[in-house]
Each structure stands twice: as structure tokens, then as C-alpha cells.
């Protein structure tokens, strides 16, 4: 659900608080992973609205408020976007479809807002978990570093989100589908770049390979013990937990 909606947001955060409170004293609890493979929306190839989610009324209203704070007035927005809006209700988020011959400034603002909104959702999760458990670390992990294309297309900014969490991490499936959209092993250089990106974004905080491929996935590639060893040692060599 979209957490710009009040009802699902409150229900989800209450669930996280309740779970944290219930299990915080378990001896086998190491930490909380409050956001699994965080990302937001998608590109025109995977989002039916042709852009970056979400385009619901609550998110659009929030976007307009963000624009008001940034530009101060509709006149200021019109001057930058090169538009002639007469009412804030006329302002809509950008979509990929039909945007290739526009000013592109509206898309840039939509992406900046989505990054800001995404970081706010991370803070919300941390606060919910902390209400239930003040003792254990709260972590999250991405599906891959934003040094690839994610900061532009999917509005992921690892450097900003790592400020919120105690630790950071990444999934790593080097012989599944990413980054090749048609499937196939990724170059070892890309695998290492993913680890280096997450390591850099984590700064002095611990970082984890939260998910590491352990066998054939989807396309059944030749996943050998030697490859598994290589992937593990590449992470260990970079300080991964």
C-alpha cells in the first residue's frame, strides 16, 4: 500500500511497533531489518502509470505541498517549469510517457520529491520499531547500490537513507537477472561495484550482505562452489558482515 494514505500507514507502523515490543527480549534476536530491499516505484517498463509511483491523490497532494515549500508561490513554480498554471490543482506529477519533449524540470522535481518522500518513510519505520525496542540495532538493505541507475530511475539515495539506520546492507544475486534485463550472470566488476557502493554509503557504519545467492535462480545458471566462495570473499574483503 501507499503509506501516504493515513490508514495503511498507521496500521503498518503499529504492527512494526507491536512486533518489536513482543520479541525484543528474545535471546536469538540480533537486529531488526525494517526495510527489505528498499526502493520506490519504477520506470515506464514496470509501472502502469508510466512513471515513478505513486500517483494517488494523497501523494499528489503531498507533492504540491512540497512544491509550495520549494518555490513559495505558483508564480515561482511557473517561472521554473515554464508553465502557466492558474491553480495548484492544475499541477500534476510528471510521467515518462509524453515527457521526452518537455522541459524535464517537472520530472526532476518529481524525482527529488520522491527521494525526499522515500527518506521520510525510512524515518517513519525507524521510529515505529524504536517505540517497541530501544535496545537492538535497526537496519535496512537495498536490492543494489544506487551508483547504478537507481538514484535517477527508482529514486533511491543510499547516502541519505543510511543516516537513518544503525546499519545498512544489500542483496546480491550475481547470477540471476540483474543488471542484465534478459537474465544472465553479471560481470564480477559490477558485483564488486555494488558492494563498494553500499560500503561507501555506509560510511563508518557496519554494512551487510543481507541476501547472497546460494544456488541457481530463475534461469538455472551454472552456480558452482567456486563462484559462491568468490562472492563471499569479495564481500569479506570489503568489510561486509
Amino acid at each position: 500500500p501507499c503509506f501516504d494514505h493515513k490508514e495503511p500507514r498507521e496500521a503498518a507502523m503499529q504492527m512494526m511497533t507491536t512486533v518489536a515490543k513482543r520479541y525484543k527480549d528474545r535471546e536469538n534476536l540480533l537486529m531488526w531489518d525494517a526495510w527489505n530491499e528498499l526502493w520506490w516505484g519504477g520506470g515506464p517498463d514496470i509501472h502502469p502509470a508510466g512513471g515513478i509511483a505513486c500517483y494517488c491523490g494523497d501523494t499528489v497532494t503531498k507533492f504540491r505541498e512540497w512544491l509550495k515549500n520549494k518555490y513559495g508561490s505558483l508564480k515561482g513554480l511557473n517561472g521554473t517549469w515554464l508553465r502557466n498554471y492558474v491553480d495548484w490543482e492544475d499541477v500534476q506529477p510528471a510521467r515518462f510517457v509524453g515527457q521526452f519533449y518537455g522541459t524535464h524540470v517537472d520530472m526532476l522535481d518529481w524525482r527529488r520529491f520522491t527521494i525526499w518522500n522515500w527518506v521520510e518513510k525510512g524515518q517513519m519505520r525507524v521510529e515505529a520499531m524504536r517505540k517497541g525496542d530501544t535496545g537492538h540495532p535497526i537496519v535496512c538493505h537495498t536490492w543494489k547500490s544506487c551508483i547504478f541507475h537507481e538514484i535517477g530511475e527508482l529514486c533511491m539515495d543510499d547516502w541519505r537513507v543510511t543516516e537513518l539506520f544503525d546499519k545498512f546492507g544489500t542483496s546480491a544475486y550475481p547470477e540471476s537477472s540483474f543488471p542484465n534485463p534478459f537474465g544472465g550472470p553479471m560481470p564480477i566488476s559490477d558485483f564488486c561495484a555494488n558492494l563498494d557502493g553500499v560500503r561507501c554509503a555506509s560510511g563508518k557504519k557496519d554494512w551487510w550482505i543481507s541476501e547472497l545467492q546460494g544456488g541457481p535462480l530463475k534461469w538455472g545458471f551454472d552456480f558452482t562452489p567456486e563462484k559462491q566462495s568468490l562472492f563471499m570473499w569479495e564481500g569479506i574483503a570489503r568489510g561486509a558482515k
Side-chain angles (χ1 to χ4, degrees):
C2 174
F3 285 167
D4 287 331
H5 290 272
K6 180 180 179 181
E7 290 78 10
R9 178 178 68 245
E10 291 181 349
M13 295 308 104
Q14 181 58 50
M15 182 198 71
M16 296 180 76
T17 299
T18 300
V19 170
K21 185 176 181 179
R22 178 176 297 177
Y23 296 106
K24 64 183 177 65
D25 295 324
R26 296 297 179 95
E27 294 181 359
N28 57 347
L29 176 63
L30 180 63
M31 64 185 72
W32 296 104
D33 191 338
W35 203 339
N36 173 68
E37 294 193 351
L38 64 166
W39 67 321
W40 195 286
D45 55 334
I46 60 175
H47 193 279
I52 301 170
C54 173
Y55 292 88
C56 72
D58 288 323
T59 301
V60 172
T61 297
K62 194 173 184 179
F63 177 53
R64 290 169 180 157
E65 292 301 316
W66 183 86
L67 291 172
K68 290 176 184 178
N69 290 330
K70 178 176 182 178
Y71 292 105
S73 66
L74 196 58
K75 181 179 180 180
L77 175 70
N78 284 332
T80 301
W81 281 23
L82 303 181
R83 300 291 198 275
N84 292 296
Y85 295 128
V86 297
D87 191 279
W88 281 104
E89 294 298 315
D90 299 331
V91 180
Q92 295 292 327
R95 288 172 168 80
F96 286 102
V97 178
Q99 294 296 325
F100 299 106
Y101 301 103
T103 63
H104 300 289
V105 183
D106 52 350
M107 177 60 82
L108 290 174
D109 270 339
W110 178 230
R111 294 185 179 192
R112 292 186 184 105
F113 161 78
T114 305
I115 292 174
W116 171 84
N117 202 15
W118 174 78
V119 172
E120 184 186 66
K121 298 299 181 294
Q123 182 64 47
M124 179 179 65
R125 290 168 181 259
V126 171
E127 292 175 355
M129 298 298 295
R130 193 60 72 204
K131 286 181 181 179
D133 184 355
T134 59
H136 289 90
I138 300 175
V139 308
C140 72
H141 74 275
T142 184
W143 77 299
K144 66 174 177 175
S145 170
C146 71
I147 64 171
F148 291 91
H149 64 283
E150 274 59 31
I151 197 168
E153 182 178 350
L154 303 182
C155 297
M156 295 164 54
D157 188 339
D158 298 342
W159 274 261
R160 293 184 64 180
V161 79
T162 52
E163 298 176 357
L164 307 176
F165 292 87
D166 298 314
K167 304 173 190 291
F168 193 52
T170 182
S171 294
Y173 294 87
E175 299 232 347
S176 63
S177 60
F178 111 86
N180 183 352
F182 303 104
M186 66 186 302
I188 188 64
S189 58
D190 285 0
F191 174 75
C192 294
N194 177 48
L195 300 182
D196 284 333
V198 172
R199 174 181 59 82
C200 291
S202 299
K204 296 182 179 180
K205 296 180 179 179
D206 287 344
W207 67 281
W208 297 71
I209 299 181
S210 303
E211 300 179 32
L212 179 61
Q213 184 176 353
L217 179 65
K218 295 183 180 180
W219 286 272
F221 299 113
D222 182 20
F223 197 86
T224 65
E226 290 76 19
K227 289 180 178 180
Q228 179 76 85
S229 178
L230 173 63
F231 299 144
M232 288 192 295
W233 281 110
E234 288 291 356
I236 292 172
R238 288 165 171 77
K241 302 298 182 182

